[in-house]
Amino acid sequence: MLIGRKLLKLNLIATIILVALASWILINILSTRQTASFIIPPKGQYKLGEIFSMNIEVDNIKNPINVVQADLKFDPDKIEVVNISTKNSFANIFIQKESNNTKGYVRLTGGLPNPGWHGTNGLFGTVYFKTKQPGLVTIAYLPTSLVLANDGQGTNILKSRPSFSYLILPDKISTEEEKAQTKLLFTP
């Protein structure tokens, strides 16, 4: 009888430990689930030769993040990158800031130290494109894009990689408009 009670007690303790462990695992998995999104910029129409900006913004960050990598693909016959800005970014360390106008590719990689950043509608960077040819141009986040949780494991919490389109009109910008936008773009 005494042995039966001890076994029952050990069984109960083992069950409690297993339930607690399972709960802890479940809480950790759910707390770093994929919730982050890149915000889809507003649609726009632009003239030939016009420079337009596209913000790289993350949203729905429930748990702190410390690394973002935004990889974009675009049609290099229709647009080209003229600048990548990190002004007003929530991140303060950038390790990659590159573009390839031959292949139609942009990469911006950066982050910030512990405790990381969380919130809604966080600006990571801005890409400035110049239109080259009329028509519809699509810009898409590539599968190599990442939003990493500040969880000590680098969990990718990015849930979607959107694409969006802009219309490039056949009308060319005036010389005055071109001077004004170039001055605005390259003024510190």
Side-chain angles (χ1 to χ4, degrees), residues 123-140:
L123 178 65
F124 179 61
T126 304
V127 180
Y128 291 89
F129 292 99
K130 184 174 184 177
T131 62
K132 295 169 52 177
Q133 190 179 88
L136 195 63
V137 64
T138 299
I139 301 172

Side-chain angles (χ1 to χ4, degrees), residues 40-46 52 54 73 79 135-140 162-168:
I40 298 173
K43 296 192 184 296
Q45 295 182 3
Y46 303 99
F52 67 95
M54 189 207 88
K73 179 77 176 149
I79 58 176
L136 195 63
V137 64
T138 299
I139 301 172
S163 63
F164 36 91
S165 300
Y166 296 106
L167 180 61
I168 303 169

Side-chain angles (χ1 to χ4, degrees), residues 90-109:
F90 62 82
N92 56 19
I93 300 167
F94 291 90
I95 59 170
Q96 286 182 300
K97 188 171 150 180
E98 60 187 57
S99 64
N100 185 321
N101 285 322
T102 304
K103 294 181 179 180
Y105 175 77
V106 175
R107 172 174 276 177
L108 181 60
T109 306

